Each structure stands twice: as C-alpha cells, then as structure tokens.
Amino acid sequence: MFRKVLVANRGEIAVRVMRACEELNVGTVAIYSEADAESGHVRYADEAYNVGPARAADSYLDHETVIEAARKADADAIHPGYGFLAENAEFASKVEAAEGITWIGPSSESMERLGEKTKARTVMDEAGVPIVPGTTDPVTDPDQVRAFGEEHGYPIAIKAEGGGGGRGMKVVTDESEVDDQFESARREGEAYFGNDSVYLERYLENPRHIEVQILADEHGNVRHLGERDCSLQRRHQKVIEEGPSPALTDDLREEIGEAARQGVKASDYVNAGTVEFLVEDGEFYFLEVNTRIQVEHCVTEEITGIDIVKWQLRIADGEELTFSQDDVEIEGHAIEFRINTENAANGFQPARGGRLETYDPPGGIGVRVDDALRQGDEIVTDYDSMIAKLIVHGGDRDECIARSLRALREYEIEGVTTIVPFHRLMLTDEAFVAGEHTTKYLDEELDPARLEEAQRQWGSEDAPAEDDEEVVEREFTVEVNGKRFEVSLEERGGFELPANLDSGGASRPDPAGGGSGSAGSDTPAVDGDGEHVTAEMQGTILSVEVGEGDEVEAGDVLVVLEAMKMENDIVASSGGTVTQVAVEEGESVDMGDSLVVLE
C-alpha cells in the first residue's frame, strides 16, 4: 500500500479521501489555494502545500504545480477526488509518467476513451448498450445541427465533449436557436474543459436520471454496486440523490446494472467509475461515463457497506476485488442531501460569503455527514457552493424519509443561507415522496411560492456585519516544509492590520484570495451616465457582447457571466445606448459590480 497520498482537491471530498487513507495507515498531503488557507481539508491533512492564488486555473488546475507539490511531499500517489483535475486525461498521463507517483483512478487512455462523450457512445454502442439517438462524431457546423433536427426532430441537446452535470450542454427547441446555442455550447466547453468539440443527442422530454456505480480491477473483474436515482435536479445540477431508485422495476434494475457492467468490461476500464443512463417510458439509454468518484458515492456506500474510496486505493495498488457480483447486496434505502450555500427561494443564488456563527450537524443512527467545516469558519465562495453532504440510511424509503426529516431539523447552520429549507420542503412534497419526480420537476413544475414559504419558515439569514470595530484580530499561518503552525494576534483600540502584512515571510494569504472586486483590487472606474447593469452573482466574464455606442433592445444579451459552472446571460431590461463597458473577457466580478452602463 502507498506510504503517502496527495489529494489534489479541496473541501469535503479531500477530507473523505484522507479519512480512507488514515484507516489504511497511509499519510496524507493537502494542497490549497490562497482562498483556502484556513479550510478544513488543510487542517485535516498531515502536510499541506500552497499551490497558488484563488483562481482555480492558477492553483488547483495547475498541472505542474500540483505534481511538484507531490514531489516536495515525497508522496507516492495522487488522488484527484471529483471536479478540478479528476477527469483530465492530460494531467493523469503526466502523473503516470512521473517517476515514483501512482495515479489513483482510471488510466489516462481510459479517460480519453470514455471521458469524451462521442468516444464513449461508440464504445457502449459496440458493447450492445442502448444509446440515445445522436452523433458518434463531433459536429463542427450549425448546419449539421439543423440536419439532425430535420431527421430526428426537436428539441436537440448540444453537448460539450468533456462536459457533465449540465455544463457545456445547450438545448435547441427550434431551428431559430441553432446558431446561438451551438456557439454557446462550444464556448462553454472551451472555458471549462479546454475542448470546444460538441456532439448531438435527441433531447428526452421527461426522463429519470439513473446511474450505476462500478468498480473494476486490473485482473479483469468488474462489479456494479447497484444504482442511484439523481433525478431531482435544478438546471441539470443534482441536489438530492438516492438509492435504490423508487422508479425502477426489479427487472429493469437488473438489466441496467448488467448493461453498465458489460459496457465497462468491454472498455478495459480499471478503478471506480459511474455509468449514467436516462430512463423514460420503461426504456433506458446510455448517457455518459464519469471516470472518477462521484459526489453521491456515499449513497452506494450506505446501502452496500462497501467503502468505494478504499477500493480506489487498493485497486490502484494492484489488489484484486475480493467479492463477487453475487456478494453485492443492497440493504435498505439511502438519500444524500447536498448542503449548498444557496438561497433556493431566490433562484438558488449562491451566497457571497459569510461566517458559520453556528455549525452543529445532526447525528444518531443512520445519519452521516461528510464535511470539512467547523464553527467559526469563513465560507469560501471562489469555488463550488456545496459545503457539506448529509447522507441518511433507513430500512426502507419511508423510514429513510422520516429519519431525513429528523436529521434536517437537527442541522443547525447560522451565518450563511443554505438550501436546508428546500430539502425539508422536498421531503413533504407529494411528487418526491411518491417517487414520481423527473429531471424537469424543479425547473418546470414546482411552485416557486413554496420555496419562498419554506425559506421563511425554516431558513436562516446571513450573519450581520460586526458592529465592534475596537478589537482587531488577525491569524497568521506559518508553513515550513509543508508543516503548518497557527499564530494569532489581537489588538484593542488599534488600527486594522493590512491583509497581507509581511511578517518575516510568515504571512497569511488574503482570505478573499485576491479575487477581482475585493477591497484593493484594480476594478475599473465606472463613470458612464445612465442605468448600471450589474452582476447578479460572483463569477467570471466569458464574453462581452456589446461595445460603447451600440444600440440595444430589452432582452438583448450584454455580457455572458460564468458562475457556479454555468453560463448566465446578462440581458438589458430596457432599450438604450451603451455608454460604457466596465469589464472585459476573463475578468472576475463580485455581485453588484457594474458591467455595462446604458443610457
């Protein structure tokens, strides 16, 4: 077994992997950006190394810096978690080529073959797995989309090759949308995955999202661990997952599981992975393979008793699976709730920041919380909004729902708004309780007024700003060869110390990570006359669609803002003339920053 594993990730998944390592008596190494200097995964690890500023591209996504951190720590393996570099075949190949370092995951070759969607569709089709009608080669011209629409009809899904979770996917409802959506999908694919290649699928109108967990070793053994139902989504992002699915018959369940196992076996895949399907009207279709651990792997662990992350480590070390397919038994029911710092009553808008004034997670039989938090922590908003996961297990679905309600009532979080009220609402929602919801339910059927009522009844507000300015407190982190030491300083009645005070090389990074829009940043002056169109959330400017002097009408797209892994069109609320454009492509902005001025 490995001596020391570097976890190339952050937050709860980093801690989850480190816990598995600890139980196997393996040392752990964390990496962190400046924004994450005080984060929980850094506290948990045996060693920690700063890999750069808050911007993910300059830290968590920097291939050479991450590998160099592993060398400095003398780590003999790297586990990528999920997100960031987890499905980056180029990074995996670099780790594979690095002397003395093992990649914990499928090979870079497998990631190339199954991670790119058109290649995966071809593999699965050849293995006899049903696929949604679509292209097996990338499309390069909008005319190909129109030709597909003439043959198969609308709506059509245009999907980025490297996409997933709704990222890089655009839905075309009629021919008039083809050009704009085609370019948008390519742009989003390039922005997130460095790959602007897209393909087409017939867009199913009202499907269930079913995924099958797979483990495969290098000795030719492939096991599926049952299915998870991830149909409760908003804008293609999962919020609640459960297993087994309440919508499948036993025959269909067995058929899907076996199809996933055979498809993976035919691809010579090794390590953990997930095969995703869409199910509609009793038929199932292959969607994609996630060549990594999933956020919702905990559901499968609870109903099978199999530690998937430990098996990732063992398989990477060359061990053989010690259980047969017949040994895999599904016991009871499990539901996972993503605890996001979002306001469900306000379009699931993510929080701008906040401090956990109270953080008291639930406990008791059948209750598991995966997090990296402690009371008093500042919320880091530079990355994903998920701060924790609540996983509840019961003897059957009814008991699991009742236990989940109890656990959510116990979950005390003050200082930042979360979607806990939304989860409590769903557990009393007729469609969800009956297991009749589909992937469209939240976006198209749920009454928004119910979300507002749930937030009023069960929600907490963000913590107010501190009134006492007499006490100035600063914490400093000293890092020596990966080992971290904390130094605190409190001054009463004095001036506030600058955020990046030089203390003999032992300085604490700016908690904001130096992102644009924070105090002291070089944000452009906005002096144009007229209506200021502002950012609705923190994010990055993907494109600017207008220039000074342009005439626009109500509804015209002014700026495309990337936030929470999705493109957001910032549109004009009324017609006018652009008198100033205050941002440029690639710039980070905070909520409320002026983007464009209209007169």
Side-chain angles (χ1 to χ4, degrees):
M1 182 49 68
F2 308 111
R3 290 179 295 97
K4 189 186 295 185
V5 172
L6 181 142
V7 183
N9 219 292
R10 64 180 299 276
E12 61 83 21
I13 185 56
V15 172
R16 166 71 187 94
V17 174
M18 290 173 191
R19 284 175 171 153
C21 289
E22 187 172 1
E23 291 181 18
L24 293 171
N25 198 30
V26 175
T28 57
V29 182
I31 59 171
Y32 64 95
S33 71
E34 291 175 0
D36 269 334
E38 306 300 327
S39 291
H41 72 288
V42 179
R43 293 191 296 259
Y44 193 93
D46 298 322
E47 303 173 44
Y49 292 81
N50 187 327
V51 290
R55 185 169 177 263
D58 299 324
S59 52
Y60 292 111
L61 296 176
D62 187 323
H63 297 188
E64 303 306 329
T65 300
V66 173
I67 293 174
E68 181 59 27
R71 290 195 180 101
K72 286 180 180 178
D74 194 26
D76 54 349
I78 292 178
H79 192 301
Y82 51 70
F84 289 142
L85 296 170
E87 292 182 284
N88 189 304
E90 180 184 358
F91 177 69
S93 68
K94 290 179 180 179
V95 176
E96 291 165 345
E99 184 177 354
I101 303 177
T102 298
W103 171 251
I104 300 176
S107 68
S108 58
E109 183 181 345
S110 288
M111 294 172 71
E112 286 276 6
R113 187 165 55 250
L114 292 180
E116 290 195 2
K117 309 310 186 232
T118 54
K119 294 179 181 178
R121 284 169 57 86
T122 300
V123 170
M124 291 296 167
D125 191 31
E126 291 174 352
V129 179
I131 63 173
V132 178
T135 60
T136 52
D137 293 316
V139 298
T140 57
D141 189 276
D143 286 340
Q144 293 174 272
V145 183
R146 281 184 273 270
F148 186 87
E150 290 177 5
E151 181 179 355
H152 297 284
Y154 293 88
I156 302 168
I158 306 176
K159 295 186 172 185
E161 281 261 57
R167 290 166 290 174
M169 184 181 84
K170 299 299 174 183
V171 178
V172 181
T173 58
D174 59 56
E175 187 176 348
S176 66
E177 300 176 353
V178 167
D179 291 303
D180 288 344
Q181 297 291 55
F182 179 77
E183 290 303 322
S184 182
R186 293 187 65 186
R187 185 170 60 240
E188 199 169 288
E190 176 64 33
Y192 293 126
F193 314 108
N195 181 356
D196 67 358
S197 184
V198 297
Y199 67 103
L200 309 178
E201 281 183 356
R202 193 184 79 196
Y203 186 67
L204 299 182
E205 297 281 11
N206 221 20
R208 301 285 295 215
H209 184 123
I210 305 295
E211 60 187 33
V212 178
Q213 178 69 56
I214 291 291
L215 283 174
D217 64 30
E218 63 184 42
H219 307 282
N221 301 301
V222 181
R223 311 284 183 257
H224 78 76
L225 309 184
E227 89 282 355
R228 300 183 290 256
D229 193 315
C230 306
S231 300
L232 200 70
Q233 305 176 5
R234 47 105 175 121
R235 298 192 297 275
H236 307 291
Q237 294 290 305
K238 304 166 187 174
V239 285
I240 296 177
E241 303 99 347
E242 62 181 308
S245 171
L248 300 186
T249 64
D250 288 342
D251 288 344
L252 187 56
R253 173 174 292 113
E254 183 175 348
E255 193 175 350
I256 290 176
E258 187 58 24
R261 194 170 75 88
Q262 291 301 324
V264 166
K265 192 174 183 66
S267 69
D268 297 323
Y269 185 93
V270 172
N271 213 269
T274 303
V275 186
E276 300 196 348
F277 298 92
L278 294 178
V279 178
E280 189 172 66
D281 298 329
E283 301 291 332
F284 69 94
Y285 305 95
F286 168 75
L287 178 61
E288 63 186 18
V289 177
N290 285 290
T291 56
R292 55 171 167 81
I293 196 76
Q294 292 273 92
V295 174
E296 57 274 16
H297 74 276
C298 315
V299 169
T300 299
E301 291 182 329
E302 293 303 307
I303 59 177
T304 63
I306 295 172
D307 189 321
I308 298 169
V309 177
K310 278 187 182 178
W311 272 113
Q312 282 191 290
L313 294 161
R314 289 171 176 148
I315 290 169
D317 194 41
E319 293 188 28
E320 185 173 359
L321 291 168
T322 57
F323 56 91
S324 69
Q325 187 61 57
D326 290 340
D327 291 332
V328 178
E329 295 184 0
I330 307 300
E331 296 187 0
H333 198 90
I335 303 177
E336 176 180 278
F337 305 88
R338 300 191 184 198
I339 309 301
N340 299 341
T341 54
E342 299 174 357
N343 187 339
N346 190 22
F348 290 89
Q349 186 177 68
R352 296 180 62 187
R355 179 189 293 271
L356 291 173
E357 303 298 336
T358 300
Y359 184 72
D360 189 8
I365 189 170
V367 176
R368 165 181 171 180
V369 176
D370 278 20
D371 61 20
L373 303 170
R374 67 184 180 195
Q375 191 161 296
D377 279 358
E378 293 279 353
I379 297 300
V380 176
T381 58
D382 297 81
Y383 314 108
D384 195 271
S385 65
M386 189 178 72
I387 59 171
K389 300 183 305 196
L390 170 65
I391 309 98
V392 180
H393 182 257
D396 55 27
R397 192 168 187 264
D398 288 342
E399 182 181 58
C400 189
I401 287 175
R403 183 168 289 161
S404 297
L405 279 168
R406 185 267 295 172
L408 287 164
R409 285 194 294 267
E410 287 182 14
Y411 213 146
E412 292 189 42
I413 304 175
E414 298 291 341
V416 63
T417 300
T418 72
I419 62 170
V420 167
F422 161 80
H423 291 319
R424 294 179 66 172
L425 173 65
M426 285 298 97
L427 293 179
T428 59
D429 179 82
E430 290 184 6
F432 180 81
V433 172
E436 297 172 349
H437 57 287
T438 70
T439 58
K440 307 293 184 63
Y441 181 66
L442 293 184
D443 293 335
E444 298 180 4
E445 298 181 44
L446 184 67
D447 184 356
R450 297 180 63 202
L451 295 175
E452 295 170 4
E453 177 56 32
Q455 188 64 37
R456 281 193 298 269
Q457 185 173 356
W458 299 311
S460 62
E461 299 300 322
D462 295 346
E466 294 289 340
D467 294 324
D468 183 7
E469 297 181 355
E470 298 298 318
V471 180
V472 178
E473 295 180 273
R474 304 293 289 173
E475 293 181 356
F476 300 90
T477 301
V478 180
E479 180 184 307
V480 181
N481 294 329
K483 304 294 184 181
R484 296 163 56 83
F485 306 90
E486 308 297 332
V487 179
S488 298
L489 173 66
E490 179 179 290
E491 183 174 346
R492 296 181 180 275
F495 61 91
E496 183 174 353
L497 298 172
N500 289 315
L501 177 68
D502 185 354
S503 180
S507 62
R508 176 176 182 262
D510 179 358
S516 298
S518 59
S521 63
D522 296 327
T523 52
V526 182
D527 51 17
D529 296 327
E531 175 193 357
H532 286 234
V533 180
T534 60
E536 300 172 353
M537 61 192 75
Q538 184 186 57
T540 302
I541 303 299
L542 283 185
S543 67
V544 178
E545 303 296 321
V546 295
E548 292 184 14
D550 286 355
E551 297 289 335
V552 299
E553 298 180 358
D556 284 353
V557 177
L558 307 176
V559 170
V560 180
L561 174 70
E562 179 274 317
M564 299 312 300
K565 306 176 184 175
M566 299 294 290
E567 285 190 20
N568 300 270
D569 291 337
I570 307 301
V571 301
S573 59
S574 58
T577 302
V578 177
T579 60
Q580 184 177 2
V581 177
V583 292
E584 59 185 25
E585 185 176 327
E587 183 177 346
S588 296
V589 295
D590 278 341
M591 182 187 298
D593 284 357
S594 292
L595 307 177
V596 175
V597 182
L598 298 178
E599 187 176 53

